[in-house]
Amino acid sequence: MSDNVAIGFVLVGVIFDLLGCLGLIRLPDVYNRLQAATKSVTLGTCMILFGIFLEFGFTSGGIKALICALFILFTSPTAAHALARGSHVSGFKLWEGSVMDKLEEDKSKEDKGE
Amino acid sequence: MKNRITQFIVFFIFWLALTWPFNLQDVCAGALVSLIAIGLTRDLFPEEMVKFLNPVRVLWAILYFVYLIHYIIIANFDVAYRVIHPALPIHPGIVRVKTSLKSEMARTMLANSITLTPGTLSVDMVGDNYYIHWINIFTDDPEKQRQIIISKFEWMLRRVFE
């Protein structure tokens, strides 16, 4: 029973990871791609690791899988934030279909003010 | 001093989790290593962790974690819908929202939570303003944007950190 639940978690995790990769290919610019990649990969990978925890229980390996899941949950959004900020600072434009860019507006306002 | 004690507790629990299942030797070695690690990292450790000595805050932190996971799951179905849809229904852009949180750690957690919730990604922070990349902008009203993006977390983070 517990085996099946664990396999189910791993399977759903893999499906979410796959959707994240699909988003990485289909979406237009770096920011949209980061959105898909971060969300799906965070949940997908955490679910795979949680499945491993269910399979092995409170053993050495199971607890380490839980710790890894926790680390991914904290570090993956931070990494995405760093990448997005880096891209914007180094001048990557948003996709042409984008509605607004408040950050760019505020930056150019600051430049004119100086 | 309180800060050091919190640091010790965090390191010690982490060591015990890593060496699970532990025996007496592991516990003694862990206590020693934690003490050494405190000396090495005393500048890096966030001061605000002291607040977690209060059990009420720990309880709220756990509640927040559950609340966050609920939103992460919604976010993933949102991404799945947008990625699979043949017409790619996105109206992306960067919006500016103002936060009323003061504590540094709360702000960090809020930025992380924004990235993990449906359709939003925190790009930059200047002063009190977050710049957020939003995949589906359907309103131009800043107040409404603020409500949709961060109000759902702010009230809870205030209980955890402030």
Side-chain angles (χ1 to χ4, degrees), chain B residues 122-155:
Chain B
S122 48
V123 175
D124 205 348
M125 184 173 191
V126 181
D128 283 345
N129 292 321
Y130 285 104
Y131 291 91
I132 292 164
H133 184 267
W134 196 0
I135 206 164
N136 189 21
I137 297 178
F138 54 82
T139 166
D140 281 346
D141 179 18
E143 186 52 35
K144 218 169 176 189
Q145 288 172 350
R146 207 184 77 83
Q147 258 173 16
I148 293 166
I149 298 175
I150 62 175
S151 291
K152 58 190 174 203
F153 295 123
E154 265 188 335
W155 68 275

Side-chain angles (χ1 to χ4, degrees), chain B residues 1-154:
Chain B
M1 193 57 213
K2 247 181 165 178
N3 198 8
R4 299 285 97 78
I5 292 168
T6 332
Q7 209 171 346
F8 180 78
I9 293 169
V10 172
F11 288 170
F12 195 55
I13 289 174
F14 191 62
W15 172 277
L16 291 184
L18 275 177
T19 53
W20 190 282
F22 49 83
N23 53 31
L24 188 63
Q25 284 174 19
D26 289 330
V27 174
C28 295
L32 202 70
V33 172
S34 302
L35 284 175
I36 295 168
I38 289 172
L40 291 174
T41 60
R42 60 192 313 166
D43 302 334
L44 298 172
F45 198 77
E47 301 269 330
E48 290 184 39
M49 287 294 275
V50 175
K51 289 175 183 168
F52 283 108
L53 286 179
N54 181 351
V56 180
R57 286 183 193 278
V58 175
L59 204 69
W60 274 107
I62 292 166
L63 271 179
Y64 179 73
F65 188 68
V66 175
Y67 189 67
L68 184 62
I69 284 179
H70 152 242
Y71 273 107
I72 293 176
I73 291 168
I74 294 176
N76 273 272
F77 282 107
D78 184 69
V79 165
Y81 162 73
R82 285 184 207 291
V83 167
I84 293 173
H85 199 291
L88 215 61
I90 56 174
H91 307 277
I94 293 180
V95 298
R96 180 183 53 216
V97 293
K98 200 171 163 62
T99 176
S100 57
L101 290 173
K102 289 282 169 281
S103 131
E104 293 280 317
M105 241 180 125
R107 286 179 168 194
T108 313
M109 284 308 296
L110 182 59
N112 270 6
S113 310
I114 288 168
T115 301
L116 288 173
T117 46
T120 49
L121 171 80
S122 48
V123 175
D124 205 348
M125 184 173 191
V126 181
D128 283 345
N129 292 321
Y130 285 104
Y131 291 91
I132 292 164
H133 184 267
W134 196 0
I135 206 164
N136 189 21
I137 297 178
F138 54 82
T139 166
D140 281 346
D141 179 18
E143 186 52 35
K144 218 169 176 189
Q145 288 172 350
R146 207 184 77 83
Q147 258 173 16
I148 293 166
I149 298 175
I150 62 175
S151 291
K152 58 190 174 203
F153 295 123
E154 265 188 335

Side-chain angles (χ1 to χ4, degrees), chain A residues 15-41 80 83, chain B residues 79-80 82-84 88 90 121 135:
Chain A
I15 290 170
F16 275 129
D17 271 0
L18 193 72
L19 286 170
C21 295
L22 197 65
L24 209 59
I25 297 166
R26 282 204 70 197
L27 292 169
D29 68 354
V30 58
Y31 308 100
N32 289 311
R33 285 176 174 178
L34 270 176
Q35 291 234 12
T38 324
K39 293 187 213 340
S40 303
V41 169
L83 282 171
Chain B
V79 165
R82 285 184 207 291
V83 167
I84 293 173
L88 215 61
I90 56 174
L121 171 80
I135 206 164

